[in-house]
């Protein structure tokens, strides 16, 4: 893991991101005296923004320096498409800028109290082109990707505090539907007894912005981990892991809809080997109760890597235990020909891993064949695991030759991974 320079003092980036409050004095001096910190992941020692967040400070990527960071080991690395200005279509729902992400979502952040709920906010056009909007899940995945939380760089650990720092850095300076993102989205900070008053004050400030009057309902979005759904007379109370400060409620209808859409994430609730990340859209009811009106959720491994199934969680946990470097590609938006389940980044060439957990399903088998043909045509090396057969299968796929298949037991292939 890279080191960072804070006003002449060298610290581990991993430690600073996990708990910035431990380094408050160093961060404050770096911001006040130098105007920045430095990442020591590469010879260019790229600058880092020391950003105020409530009463604290966090580190964030300096604008347009993503490619200066170490691609394989630094969490501040950003590929050319995400870093270079002017490469995005004006109609894209997510447009990075020098000050932050400009997002257009299909959920309204302000709603008229009377009359129909409007659509996804501004319909601004650029160069005569209607800008597309994205859903909550796409937004959540985009934030996770921008924070490099979909990658494992061989870190020693990753905590809720690390996620808080990286996600907060993504949100600050951005906008949703032309409104400041930091005023709409609140990332829940992990509980710390010595900072409870500060953490609660930030949360209360966010909740105070979720208001309802005679003309409008101002909504807020809470990025958190769901701890439990408690049945109530007219629906459920939603308990979040990081705080019991707020009483949140949702209808039975919305619960059932979300449970069907995000079954994987919901199955992780209460399971210590898996986690979940949820983006909850809140508004006040007529009686002032905090009510969920929409949400999106992701299934995560125990180290907060996004996964699509319990089989992927098992594989991600194993790769972390083996200190492998790998990526979990996220779909969000785009027209990629295929989305691998994982990519091993510490082998040459990089190797795709596909987890086929639904063998026998006709549509699934057709998609599997399509992926195999794509990898064969592209010359991509692919490892396949069909958990129901308890074997992992290696396919060496090239455009000139037929696939050669070698079968190993699960334990054998784990050692090879």
């Amino acid at each position: 893991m890279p080191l960072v320079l804070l006003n002449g003092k060298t610290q581990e980036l991993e430690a600073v991101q996990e708990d910035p409050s431990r380094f408050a004095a160093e961060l404050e001096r770096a911001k006040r005296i130098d105007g920045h910190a430095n990442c020591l992941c590469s010879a260019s020692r790229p600058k880092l923004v020391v950003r105020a967040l409530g009463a604290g400070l966090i580190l964030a990527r300096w604008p347009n320096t993503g490619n200066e960071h170490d691609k394989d080991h630094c969490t501040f690395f950003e590929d050319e498409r995400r870093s270079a200005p002017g490469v995005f279509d004006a109609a894209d729902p997510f447009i990075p800028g020098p000050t932050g992400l400009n997002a257009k979502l299909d959920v309204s952040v302000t709603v008229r109290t009377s009359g129909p709920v409007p659509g996804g906010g501004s319909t601004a056009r650029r160069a005569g082109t209607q800008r597309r909007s994205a859903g909550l899940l796409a937004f959540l995945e985009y934030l996770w990707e921008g924070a490099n939380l979909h990658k494992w760089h061989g870190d020693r650990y990753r905590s809720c505090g690390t996620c808080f720092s990286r996600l907060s850095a993504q949100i600050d300076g951005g906008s949703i539907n032309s409104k400041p993102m930091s005023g709409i989205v609140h990332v829940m900070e992990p509980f710390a007894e010595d900072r409870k008053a500060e953490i609660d004050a930030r949360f209360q400030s966010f909740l105070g912005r979720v208001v309802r009057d005679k003309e409008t309902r101002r909504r807020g979005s809470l990025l958190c981990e769901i701890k439990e759904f408690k049945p109530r007379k007219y629906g459920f109370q939603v308990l979040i892991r990081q705080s019991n400060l707020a009483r949140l409620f949702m209808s039975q209808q919305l619960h059932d809809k979300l449970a069907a859409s995000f079954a994987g994430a919901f199955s992780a609730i209460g399971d210590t080997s898996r986690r979940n990340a949820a983006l909850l859209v809140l508004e006040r009811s007529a009686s002032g109760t905090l009510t969920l009106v929409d949400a999106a959720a992701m299934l995560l491994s125990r180290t907060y890597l996004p996964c699509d199934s319990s089989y992927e969680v098992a594989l991600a946990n194993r790769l972390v235990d083996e200190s492998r470097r790998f990526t979990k590609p996220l779909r969000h938006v785009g027209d990629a020909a295929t989305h691998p389940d994982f990519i091993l980044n510490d082998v040459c060439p990089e190797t795709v891993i596909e987890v086929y957990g639904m063998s026998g399903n006709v549509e699934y088998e057709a998609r599997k064949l399509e992926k195999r043909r794509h990898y064969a045509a592209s010359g991509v090396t692919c490892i396949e695991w069909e958990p129901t057969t308890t074997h992992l299968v290696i396919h060496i796929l090239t455009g000139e030759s037929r696939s050669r298949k070698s079968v190993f037991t699960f334990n054998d292939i784990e050692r090879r991974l």
Side-chain angles (χ1 to χ4, degrees):
M1 174 57 65
L3 302 174
V4 292
L5 192 64
L6 304 177
N7 189 229
K9 289 188 177 182
T10 301
Q11 305 288 354
E12 289 189 352
L13 173 59
E14 198 169 53
V16 177
Q17 288 186 322
E18 182 190 23
D19 187 1
S21 65
R22 286 176 49 206
F23 305 91
E26 292 93 333
L27 288 165
E28 191 278 330
R29 284 195 296 270
K31 181 177 180 65
R32 175 171 50 85
I33 298 173
D34 301 325
H36 60 83
N38 291 90
C39 186
L40 304 182
C41 68
S42 67
S44 63
R45 297 174 26 143
K47 293 180 180 179
L48 296 172
V49 178
V50 182
R51 183 166 288 166
L53 184 68
L57 296 165
I58 59 172
L59 292 176
R61 185 187 301 112
W62 197 271
N64 302 323
T65 63
N67 290 317
E68 296 182 31
H69 293 270
D70 185 306
K71 177 180 182 293
D72 294 324
H73 300 98
C74 186
T75 61
F76 288 117
F77 174 80
E78 188 174 46
D79 64 36
E80 184 176 353
R81 173 172 166 79
R82 293 182 63 98
S83 298
V87 300
F88 282 80
D89 190 316
D92 284 350
F94 304 122
I95 302 177
T99 60
L101 174 66
N102 179 341
K104 183 184 178 187
L105 304 185
D106 60 8
V107 61
S108 298
V109 296
T110 302
V111 179
R112 293 193 302 271
T113 300
S114 58
V117 176
S122 171
T123 57
R125 298 171 179 264
R126 295 186 181 184
T129 301
Q130 177 70 44
R131 188 177 175 190
R132 299 184 297 274
S133 61
L136 289 173
L137 180 60
F139 179 53
L140 182 57
E141 289 183 338
Y142 197 93
L143 290 177
W144 225 258
E145 184 181 74
N148 269 327
L149 291 169
H150 69 312
K151 291 178 176 285
W152 190 259
H153 295 87
D155 318 38
R156 291 195 301 271
Y157 55 84
R158 178 180 293 172
S159 69
C160 183
T162 307
C163 297
F164 167 77
S165 295
R166 294 199 206 171
L167 291 166
S168 296
Q170 288 295 303
I171 288 167
D172 194 61
S175 65
I176 295 177
N177 299 351
S178 303
K179 298 182 183 297
M181 194 179 297
S182 59
I184 299 169
V185 181
H186 181 81
V187 183
M188 286 303 306
E189 192 168 356
F191 175 79
E193 184 63 45
D194 60 334
R195 299 181 53 248
K196 184 178 184 303
E198 175 193 337
I199 294 170
D200 286 353
R202 286 191 63 245
F203 191 25
Q204 290 283 24
S205 176
F206 160 74
L207 295 176
R209 295 192 293 272
V210 181
V211 295
R212 179 188 184 111
D213 57 32
K214 292 181 179 180
E215 296 182 355
T216 58
R217 301 193 302 271
R218 298 189 186 280
R219 293 171 169 172
S221 295
L222 185 63
L223 183 45
C224 62
E225 181 175 358
I226 297 174
K227 179 182 179 181
E228 184 183 356
F229 293 112
K230 277 193 170 183
R232 291 292 183 256
K233 184 176 181 180
Y234 298 107
F236 291 85
Q237 181 180 357
V238 185
L239 304 182
I240 60 176
R241 182 167 299 280
Q242 296 92 336
S243 174
N244 59 5
L245 194 63
R247 290 170 57 83
L248 314 177
F249 295 90
M250 67 189 304
S251 68
Q252 179 77 52
Q253 182 180 10
L254 180 59
H255 174 274
D256 294 348
K257 173 187 172 184
L258 296 177
S261 298
F262 308 110
F266 276 36
S267 71
I269 296 173
D271 186 339
T272 56
S273 68
R274 300 179 290 167
R275 312 197 79 99
N276 68 83
L279 187 63
L280 313 179
V281 180
L282 308 174
E283 70 176 29
R284 298 276 181 184
S285 68
S287 62
T289 302
L290 284 166
T291 306
L292 268 68
V293 294
D294 204 352
M298 291 194 308
L299 171 65
L300 305 176
S301 72
R302 66 169 182 259
T303 49
Y304 300 94
L305 289 154
C307 296
D308 294 323
S309 68
S310 58
Y311 295 127
E312 288 193 11
V313 169
L315 184 55
N317 287 342
R318 179 68 190 198
L319 293 174
V320 168
D321 289 342
E322 296 292 336
S323 300
R324 303 307 303 263
R325 289 190 292 106
F326 63 98
T327 299
K328 166 61 180 177
L330 293 171
R331 290 172 175 80
H332 53 85
V333 292
D335 300 315
T338 186
H339 290 86
D341 290 332
F342 296 96
I343 301 173
L344 282 175
N345 303 125
D346 56 0
V347 291
C348 188
E350 292 186 337
T351 298
V352 163
I353 302 179
E354 290 288 356
V355 181
Y356 294 127
M358 294 176 61
S359 298
N361 179 287
V362 176
E363 292 183 5
Y364 190 82
E365 292 293 339
R367 178 59 180 152
K368 184 195 301 185
L369 180 60
E370 183 182 339
K371 279 191 169 186
R372 285 176 172 169
R373 287 172 175 167
H374 172 76
Y375 293 142
S378 305
V380 173
T381 302
C382 176
I383 297 173
E384 293 186 343
W385 177 34
E386 297 190 27
T388 55
T389 68
T390 69
H391 289 82
L392 280 170
V393 181
I394 291 183
H395 280 271
I396 304 174
L397 306 177
T398 66
E400 289 88 19
S401 62
R402 299 176 64 182
S403 302
R404 302 195 303 276
K405 181 186 296 185
S406 300
V407 182
F408 299 86
T409 68
F410 193 15
N411 289 336
D412 287 340
I413 194 64
E414 283 176 342
R415 284 196 291 272
R416 293 174 65 91
L417 286 176

